[in-house]
Amino acid sequence: MLRVSDLTVARGGVPVLEGVSFSVADGRALVLRGPNGSGKTTLLRTVAGLQPALDGTVDGAGERIAYAAHSDGLKSMLSVAENLSFWASVFGQADIMRAMTAFDLVALEDRLAGTLSAGQKRRLGLARLMVTGRPVWVLDEPTVSLDAASVALFAEAVRAHLAQGGSALMATHIDLGLAEAEVFDVTPFRAKPGVSRQDEAFL
């Protein structure tokens, strides 16, 4: 289980969310909601271990997490298959066909990633999640650049991941139709305006 307890996260040293607590059980998904700039990305980056929390704890994360953000993380001069094989090898995995099939990439396997459309790049970037072998997916606006058919492919990939005992934490404004998902609104946890933690040393 992924468990976040009394977490305070900051952007540029300024707290943006305070006292955030939630848990995501195996086989379940949690969807973060809130207006632009409310701190969803900062919260996800903190949970993924890419930046430290100011306060609180994150349990059940670390090496269990596969993180996907706004960048697709592709090597433009490698083909679709070569990109997935590269990421699979990084995580000690070998099978890429399941991911290519799930995101409708088989017909594109020999295309250079740099020649793909924005939506195709996004599908390839998301397919990387499936070759990590990691049980906790942390996703920041995963459906950006995806058309309706590709959103459905992504939703089915998440559904299959949950059915296999994985879990997902994501920020998205799209209803993916996941019965296994709960919604968590970050708005009540927005930090009160105050002094940056970085500036406190000079007061």
Side-chain angles (χ1 to χ4, degrees), residues 46-86:
T46 304
V47 171
L50 299 178
Q51 64 182 66
L54 293 183
D55 289 303
T57 59
V58 178
D59 298 307
E63 295 300 312
R64 301 180 69 238
I65 281 182
Y67 177 70
H70 300 136
S71 172
D72 295 317
L74 307 178
K75 295 183 179 295
S76 62
M77 297 307 295
L78 293 183
S79 70
V80 167
E82 288 169 338
N83 266 278
L84 285 178
S85 293
F86 169 79

Side-chain angles (χ1 to χ4, degrees), residues 108-194:
L108 302 172
E109 63 178 332
D110 295 323
R111 285 270 301 274
L112 294 181
T115 68
L116 300 176
S117 71
Q120 290 168 338
K121 288 178 180 177
R122 192 59 171 168
R123 292 196 337 251
L124 177 53
L126 292 171
R128 292 183 306 140
L129 295 165
M130 296 184 66
V131 302
T132 65
R134 294 193 166 184
V136 183
W137 290 0
V138 176
L139 313 168
D140 192 3
E141 297 295 347
T143 59
V144 170
S145 299
L146 295 183
D147 58 20
S150 297
V151 170
L153 290 176
F154 168 70
E156 184 55 37
V158 173
R159 195 173 291 112
H161 178 65
L162 301 181
Q164 294 166 2
S167 60
L169 172 65
M170 68 186 88
T172 179
H173 297 286
I174 302 294
D175 182 3
L176 297 173
L178 297 174
E180 305 87 349
E182 299 178 22
V183 174
F184 184 85
D185 188 352
V186 303
T187 306
F189 301 93
R190 297 187 75 167
K192 300 177 180 63

